[in-house]
Amino acid sequence: GQNIDQPTEMTATEGAIVQINCTYQTSGFNGLFWYQQHAGEAPTFLSYNVLDGLEEKGRFSSFLSRSKGYSYLLLKELQMKDSASYLCAVKDSNYQLIWGAGTKLIIKP
Amino acid sequence: GAVVSQHPSWVICKSGTSVKIECRSLDFQATTMFWYRQFPKQSLMLMATSNEGSKATYEQGVEKDKFLINHASLTLSTLTVTSAHPEDSSFYICSAKKTGFETEAFFGQGTRLTVV
């Protein structure tokens, strides 16, 4: 079966750095996405990785290792507004998005 | 840009009635739209894939007669929850895919449905 694992919840301090991991087992791979979702709102796109390596976009970076079926989202200089759920999703061989359950990130002052 | 508008943002309906949710791509043509359902503290669950001008493809376990999907134009898809019951209360989200090769899914703002 297809499976995407990410931690259920993480806590970090304002101004710090946090890394949210995602491991996946899917039938084929056509890219990995990270989305941010605030409570009661729809997800918003953060990043897309299809090749191995690190993609940096401002305070957020995303890393991919296809051989290991592994990705992480790195958030730097954490702000209170970063408190949200972070969803990892993989596009499989049918170009269908398979979603992880999301990681709830709690930022403390 | 790529804006997807979903309406209404929230709706309360009585058990047994039907509710229609609209999903519009405002500044691009969407050949494919996706409908998701999300229960509290859970991830997105794909309900169906909607292609313009053809019948929707439903995921296993989703009742096509209960969740009617229409994708009549390149900018509009609708989801109708028929004979709604309290267990249908959920957050429904649509996303749209541009024509051609496009990696990112563009989401509507979601609809909170409460059936009383």
Side-chain angles (χ1 to χ4, degrees), chain A residues 42-43, chain B residues 1-7 9 21-30 32-35 74-77 92-98 104-110:
Chain B
V3 180
V4 177
S5 176
Q6 193 172 333
H7 178 82
S9 297
I21 302 170
E22 292 186 349
C23 181
R24 293 180 184 273
S25 56
L26 298 185
D27 53 2
F28 68 98
Q29 293 184 328
T32 305
M33 288 187 175
F34 305 89
W35 287 96
L74 285 171
T75 59
L76 173 65
S77 176
Y92 292 86
I93 310 172
C94 72
S95 73
K97 181 180 180 297
K98 288 183 176 181
E104 181 184 343
F106 302 97
F107 284 89
Q109 57 267 59

Side-chain angles (χ1 to χ4, degrees), chain B residues 31-102:
Chain B
T31 53
T32 305
M33 288 187 175
F34 305 89
W35 287 96
Y36 293 89
R37 180 168 50 183
Q38 186 177 35
F39 291 105
K41 299 183 179 180
Q42 295 186 25
S43 189
L44 302 172
M45 298 297 295
L46 180 65
M47 298 176 67
T49 302
S50 165
N51 292 297
E52 185 265 339
S54 63
K55 290 184 178 180
T57 303
Y58 289 81
E59 295 300 301
Q60 196 170 9
V62 177
E63 300 174 58
K64 58 181 67 177
D65 294 332
K66 180 171 182 62
F67 298 99
L68 302 179
I69 291 173
N70 182 276
H71 194 157
S73 77
L74 285 171
T75 59
L76 173 65
S77 176
T78 60
L79 167 67
T80 301
V81 183
T82 62
S83 187
H85 288 101
E87 56 265 32
D88 298 324
S89 298
S90 186
F91 191 50
Y92 292 86
I93 310 172
C94 72
S95 73
K97 181 180 180 297
K98 288 183 176 181
T99 55
F101 180 72
E102 181 60 50

Side-chain angles (χ1 to χ4, degrees), chain A residues 32-36 43-48 57, chain B residues 103-105 107:
Chain A
L32 185 143
F33 299 78
W34 283 97
Y35 281 83
Q36 180 190 61
T44 55
F45 172 79
L46 290 178
S47 68
Y48 169 70
K57 191 184 293 185
Chain B
T103 57
E104 181 184 343
F107 284 89

